[in-house]
């Protein structure tokens, strides 16, 4: 198998895993679905990342051998420290500054 074929096979396996999980999720009551929205979104992003990147042969083969590579990657993701909340806060601050500027300009025009 070529590297592209290996990565395609891994993508297809993880996509199928996500579809199975999605089907299960949609059969749950709304409260349970809400509990899993973060997990669903991150799992979708993991699958999406495989569309844009290829792993080396050994890594693709190793992940492919796992019965649930998507769940494995998600588990590792949950244990990571990321700057996600810092990015969120930075975005809140940036938007607030823009709103202050808009309001100041509006007040100047009204004078």
């Amino acid at each position: 198998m070529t590297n592209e074929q290996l990565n395609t096979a891994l993508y297809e396996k993880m996509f199928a895993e996500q579809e199975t999980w999605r089907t299960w999720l949609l059969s749950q009551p709304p409260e349970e679905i809400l509990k899993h929205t973060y997990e669903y979104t991150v799992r979708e992003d993991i699958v999406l990342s495989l569309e844009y990147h290829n792993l080396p042969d050994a890594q693709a083969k190793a992940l492919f051998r796992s019965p649930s590579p998507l769940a494995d990657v998600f588990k590792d993701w949950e244990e990571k420290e990321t700057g996600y909340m810092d990015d969120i806060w930075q975005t809140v601050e940036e938007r607030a500054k823009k709103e202050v500027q808009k309001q100041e300009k509006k007040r100047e025009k009204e004078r």
Side-chain angles (χ1 to χ4, degrees):
M1 245 189 215
T2 67
N3 180 266
E4 185 177 336
Q5 291 169 325
L6 277 171
N7 278 279
T8 298
L10 177 61
Y11 168 82
E12 289 171 351
K13 182 175 185 171
M14 292 173 85
F15 182 87
E17 182 181 346
Q18 178 68 349
E19 285 302 302
T20 299
W21 192 81
R22 181 181 184 276
T23 299
W24 167 82
L25 185 60
L26 288 173
S27 72
Q28 302 304 302
E31 291 293 321
E32 189 65 20
I33 292 171
L34 285 174
K35 288 180 189 176
H36 291 282
T37 55
Y38 172 77
E39 182 176 358
Y40 177 80
T41 302
V42 171
R43 288 170 60 110
E44 284 286 304
D45 286 346
I46 292 166
V47 173
L48 181 63
S49 74
L50 293 171
E51 288 186 25
Y52 297 101
H53 301 87
N54 283 327
L55 291 168
D57 290 358
Q59 292 174 4
K61 285 178 186 177
L63 267 181
F64 188 82
R65 287 186 192 112
S66 168
S68 53
L70 182 54
D72 295 343
V73 172
F74 177 75
K75 182 179 178 230
D76 289 348
W77 172 257
E78 276 193 310
E79 295 172 4
K80 271 189 175 228
E81 285 290 323
T82 68
Y84 177 75
M85 291 306 293
D86 292 334
D87 292 342
I88 292 290
W89 181 244
Q90 182 181 7
T91 304
V92 170
E93 286 181 317
E94 289 168 359
R95 170 46 60 190
K97 288 176 186 175
K98 287 178 184 176
E99 289 302 317
V100 166
Q101 290 171 349
K102 270 180 25 181
Q103 291 171 14
E104 287 174 352
K105 284 182 182 178
K106 185 178 178 183
R107 273 187 243 128
E108 286 176 15
K109 285 182 179 179
E110 290 174 353
R111 290 181 191 177

